[in-house]
Amino acid sequence: MTLDDCKCLDAQDPLAPLRDQFTLPDGVIYLDGNSLGVLPSAAPARIAEAVSHEWGQGLIRSWNSAGWFDLPQRLGDKVGRLIGAAPGEVVCTDSTSINLYKVLFAAIAQAKADPKRRLVVSERSNFPTDLYIAESLCESHGLQLKLIDASDLPGVLTEEVAVLMLTHVNYRTGAMHDMTAITAAAHAAGALTVWDLAHSAGAVPVALNESNADFAIGCGYKYLNGGPGAPAFVWVHTRHAGQFRQPLSGWWGHAAPFEFTPHYRPAPGVGRYLCGTQPILSLTGLECGLDTVLAAEPLGGMTALRKKSLALTDAFINLTEQRCPGLFNLVTPREHAQRGSQVCLSLADQRTPTQAYAIVQALIARGVIGDYRGGDEQMPDILRFGFTPLYLGFEDVWNAVEHLVQVMTLEEWRKSEFNQINAVT
Ligand SMILES: *Cc1c(COP(=O)(O)O)cnc(C)c1O
């Protein structure tokens, strides 16, 4: 693959116009949309309008007149279009961690009806917040959190399992589970499934209803470009929606919040997954992000985005192997069906304890923004690169690898300034 090949692919790319929806700093190749999506160009004016007009002029009237009250449901329907959920099945609210708490509580409350089901199963390499939330819920419900490796599935699914809680695309490795097959195996064992779509929503096609999943949650500020700390989302299969036990039974999840009655009565629909008053300005930013992904619908939607994402990650893998032979191990699966929208590399021969981190820092200094995730005895340090087909092209991939080649050949990673580890990596 040559630079000309990359330019040629960009010239033929039907999704290339989507790049115009974003404001990116000059000279930046952004490979971290899996951690914080980029700014939609429409967001500053839209948020300013929500502040000055809806808040400033409309004041409290805007809960009705500006559509604030049902914003979580309206945005939920937009997310639903990206994850194979029907209108009225998803709401945008709270953080991923908090939403996980709600759905995992509800799943446990349902599964515990059978006393022999005393295990919540998850992956050892799952994102820590998911494990921390599960740990705390297991403790308070007298259950045990069993951590496994992906290769242990489906064998670990015994009649003791209450809930199988997995992240669809692994945040470290970019490995993707087969949601349909694993859900079927869990159901065959009588267990419920909770899926975290943090690295899936807006990144890979997801078909929640078709997969027959039970519960799902996901993140608004990664591939959905909703802005730092944007609200997350919750989905519950309609077969569970009616008996969903909301542990955070706040007034916004009440059937009639403005009746101000002393007893909790859950809302009949997805409003039940809300807790308290919603962050309207953050939801406003999230809508701008969702619209950037939905803008791909007339161009083939998630299917077209997925095709380009795989082509971009293939190109990055091939160019890295071609131009930095022997330097890196590919941590992300090569198999398309098992790969999300990111590529992770580890060092084949790590020279210093901070080398992987320092390479990422040297790349950032050159305008190529990826990130680093530290390892332990079981997992290597990794360089993590997210590929968002909405605003990345093949020439970007070429240039990113060119910078990586230079960082390695010039040994820029040795500079002391790149070896000071920051609070956020
Ligand atoms: C990013 C991410 C989260 C983030 O949770 P917050 O509550 O938004 O901090 C949770 N789970 C997974 C798997 C993630 O990748």
Side-chain angles (χ1 to χ4, degrees), residues 95-101 104 122 125-137 145 165 167 171 196 198 217 221-222:
S95 67
T96 307
S97 305
I98 291 174
N99 289 333
L100 178 64
Y101 182 87
L104 188 56
S122 192
S125 66
N126 200 345
F127 191 79
T129 205
D130 297 51
L131 300 180
Y132 302 160
I133 295 279
E135 215 166 40
S136 148
L137 274 170
L145 177 62
M165 175 191 85
T167 295
Y171 81 103
D196 187 330
I217 43 111
Y221 53 77
K222 292 175 180 163

Side-chain angles (χ1 to χ4, degrees), residues 352-377:
T352 67
T354 52
Q355 191 187 2
Y357 176 81
I359 294 169
V360 170
Q361 292 307 306
L363 284 171
I364 292 172
R366 289 170 163 269
V368 180
I369 304 183
D371 62 27
Y372 157 86
R373 291 292 176 260
D376 57 24
E377 303 79 38

Side-chain angles (χ1 to χ4, degrees), residues 21 23 38-50 225-227 281 284-289 292:
Q21 301 183 96
T23 305
V38 303
L39 175 68
S41 307
R46 177 66 193 98
I47 294 168
E49 182 197 60
N225 306 314
L281 299 178
T284 301
L286 174 61
E287 181 159 34
C288 296
T292 63

Side-chain angles (χ1 to χ4, degrees), residues 35 58 62 74 159 265 272 331 334 345:
S35 209
S62 287
R74 199 161 60 73
E159 59 178 23
R265 185 157 47 88
R272 176 180 307 198
V331 174
R334 215 172 278 272
L345 305 174

Side-chain angles (χ1 to χ4, degrees), residues 327-341:
L327 290 186
F328 299 102
N329 293 327
L330 179 64
V331 174
T332 304
R334 215 172 278 272
E335 184 89 30
H336 282 178
Q338 292 169 25
R339 188 193 308 161
S341 200

Side-chain angles (χ1 to χ4, degrees), residues 45-56:
R46 177 66 193 98
I47 294 168
E49 182 197 60
V51 171
S52 61
H53 184 76
E54 296 176 10
W55 179 14

